[in-house]
Amino acid sequence: MFLKKLHPKDAHIAASAIVGACRLGGWTHELQPQLLHVLFKNLLDFECDFNTFPGSSMEAVGTVFKDHESRSEVIDLMLMVEALCAEIPEAVASSVSAYASYLGVANERIHMLRDLAKHSIAKAQEDFYRNNYFSDKDLAIENFHALVKSYGLPAYVVGVKDDPKEILRWEALANLPEESLGKGLWNFYKKRGFAFPGTVGGVNSAVAHHDWIHILADYDSDGIGEIEVAAFSTMATNSDSPVMNFLGVLSIFQGGLLKSLVTSANPHLGHDLEVSNGMERVVNALQRGRECSVDLIEGMNFFEYADHSLDALRLKWNIVPKASEFSA
């Protein structure tokens, strides 16, 4: 999970841990202290200057954070800092790995960032797609294992064979009321010229799960919008795997190290957080996801709610409006 166990009373120790592991001789990217400042101020009620705040040793951090969940969240914040970079310095990667090892934290998210630091992009893609929450939903796709055997990693995210029945399921959303969640999704796809799941080259139904969240949370499909959806989704669930998605999406759309397998005419080159209020928009998405009263990842079948009013669902699930300065 992401920021579910860290308590504001321990925020200063978490902040010093990140500084100790990641700042070293100076931050790698100017966005790192900016994002940390906004995140800690708004989510953990702690404010400091991350350019001057002193770092902590591994031993000091381990004394405060004794449970595995809190330790994992501290490491995830370190990985978030790394994911912002187009180049992850070897010294930073080694430092974060040392903190993780000392705190007894080991997971596929760490492996992905280590692969990115070494520019092992293909291996990082495997880490990302095979351990993402998409992969849990891929298993519901008919003959999924056979598709992976025949087509490899792309089968996790895009249609590799036409499925007319699946296409019709999504196209049928056009018949729903204009104010409904399902019609909102249909309009979202048509406006952007996206191919529906079931089409070769279009996203598969597992990846399309996040498009429903685009509609519910009112986020666009540009780079910053994808980061916002990933941030929102990470907090709007009790599942751990969306954290992998959030870190990977940060790298795709900001750091530019991880490369997406989703078909696009425009490659993702990074720097999409470098927009007006970019840091604030991401943290606002995290805040909104935390307020959500239903798990939007685990056990959620959005087709069951496709004919429901979008406004009514937002009210029922406590999906609060975006901060006014980020609204269209």
Side-chain angles (χ1 to χ4, degrees), residues 136-187:
D136 299 332
K137 300 182 182 301
D138 278 320
L139 297 176
I141 297 175
E142 187 176 359
N143 299 320
F144 174 67
H145 290 298
L147 293 175
V148 172
K149 185 175 181 180
S150 298
Y151 297 95
L153 200 62
Y156 279 86
V157 290
V158 298
V160 291
K161 295 179 66 177
D162 278 325
D163 185 344
K165 183 178 178 181
E166 183 68 9
I167 295 172
L168 286 175
R169 186 167 75 120
W170 292 80
E171 284 283 10
L173 297 173
N175 302 319
L176 297 177
E178 195 64 36
E179 72 278 3
S180 68
L181 171 63
K183 187 59 176 289
L185 183 69
W186 188 88
N187 288 332

Side-chain angles (χ1 to χ4, degrees), residues 1 35 39 60 74 83 102 110 131 148 150 158-160 211 233 243 248 323:
M1 294 183 288
L35 179 56
L39 186 151
V74 172
Y102 181 83
I110 298 173
N131 298 282
V148 172
S150 298
V158 298
V160 291
D211 288 326
S233 301
V243 183

Side-chain angles (χ1 to χ4, degrees), residues 29 61 74 113 115 133 165 236 323:
H29 196 292
V61 175
V74 172
L113 267 297
D115 289 332
Y133 75 88
K165 183 178 178 181

Side-chain angles (χ1 to χ4, degrees), residues 2 6 17 39 43 56 72-75 86 106 147-148 152 177 179 192 210 238 250 255 273 326:
F2 193 76
L6 285 181
L39 186 151
L43 295 180
S56 292
S72 293
E73 290 187 4
V74 172
I75 297 301
L147 293 175
V148 172
E179 72 278 3
R192 292 160 177 79
H210 94 285
N238 290 317
L250 275 179
L273 268 179
F326 312 137

Side-chain angles (χ1 to χ4, degrees), residues 10-26:
D10 297 322
H12 65 294
I13 303 299
S16 64
I18 298 164
V19 169
C22 300
R23 193 174 69 195
L24 303 184

Side-chain angles (χ1 to χ4, degrees), residues 106-319:
N107 56 50
E108 295 300 329
R109 302 189 286 276
I110 298 173
H111 294 161
M112 180 182 72
L113 267 297
R114 292 303 139 260
D115 289 332
L116 289 176
K118 294 182 291 188
H119 282 263
S120 299
I121 306 304
K123 183 64 174 67
Q125 285 179 325
E126 288 194 27
D127 300 331
F128 179 61
Y129 288 111
R130 293 186 189 278
N131 298 282
N132 205 305
Y133 75 88
F134 302 152
S135 64
D136 299 332
K137 300 182 182 301
D138 278 320
L139 297 176
I141 297 175
E142 187 176 359
N143 299 320
F144 174 67
H145 290 298
L147 293 175
V148 172
K149 185 175 181 180
S150 298
Y151 297 95
L153 200 62
Y156 279 86
V157 290
V158 298
V160 291
K161 295 179 66 177
D162 278 325
D163 185 344
K165 183 178 178 181
E166 183 68 9
I167 295 172
L168 286 175
R169 186 167 75 120
W170 292 80
E171 284 283 10
L173 297 173
N175 302 319
L176 297 177
E178 195 64 36
E179 72 278 3
S180 68
L181 171 63
K183 187 59 176 289
L185 183 69
W186 188 88
N187 288 332
F188 180 85
Y189 270 64
K190 291 299 181 180
K191 179 180 178 180
R192 292 160 177 79
F194 292 168
F196 281 117
T199 306
V200 172
V203 296
N204 66 15
S205 58
V207 175
H209 184 93
H210 94 285
D211 288 326
W212 297 93
I213 300 175
H214 271 283
I215 307 306
L216 283 163
D218 188 25
Y219 291 128
D220 206 341
S221 57
D222 55 359
I224 182 67
E226 294 295 346
I227 296 172
E228 287 173 307
V229 166
F232 182 97
S233 301
T234 299
M235 299 295 280
T237 182
N238 290 317
S239 174
D240 189 55
S241 54
V243 183
M244 170 69 90
N245 184 60
F246 177 51
L247 296 176
V249 167
L250 275 179
S251 182
I252 291 169
F253 290 100
Q254 173 53 40
L257 273 178
L258 186 64
K259 305 304 178 185
S260 174
L261 291 176
V262 177
T263 302
S264 174
N266 301 307
H268 306 307
L269 302 177
H271 307 292
D272 285 297
L273 268 179
E274 297 167 30
V275 297
S276 177
N277 294 323
M279 306 302 102
E280 290 80 5
R281 288 175 63 171
V282 173
V283 172
N284 182 241
L286 291 167
Q287 289 176 302
R288 296 178 71 213
R290 184 169 65 179
E291 294 295 319
C292 186
S293 62
V294 67
D295 194 318
L296 295 179
I297 303 298
E298 288 291 301
M300 173 59 70
N301 179 0
F302 287 115
F303 273 97
E304 294 178 0
Y305 302 94
D307 61 343
H308 290 220
S309 162
L310 179 56
D311 288 340
L313 286 175
R314 287 171 174 163
L315 183 63
K316 178 181 179 180
W317 293 340
N318 200 39
I319 299 176

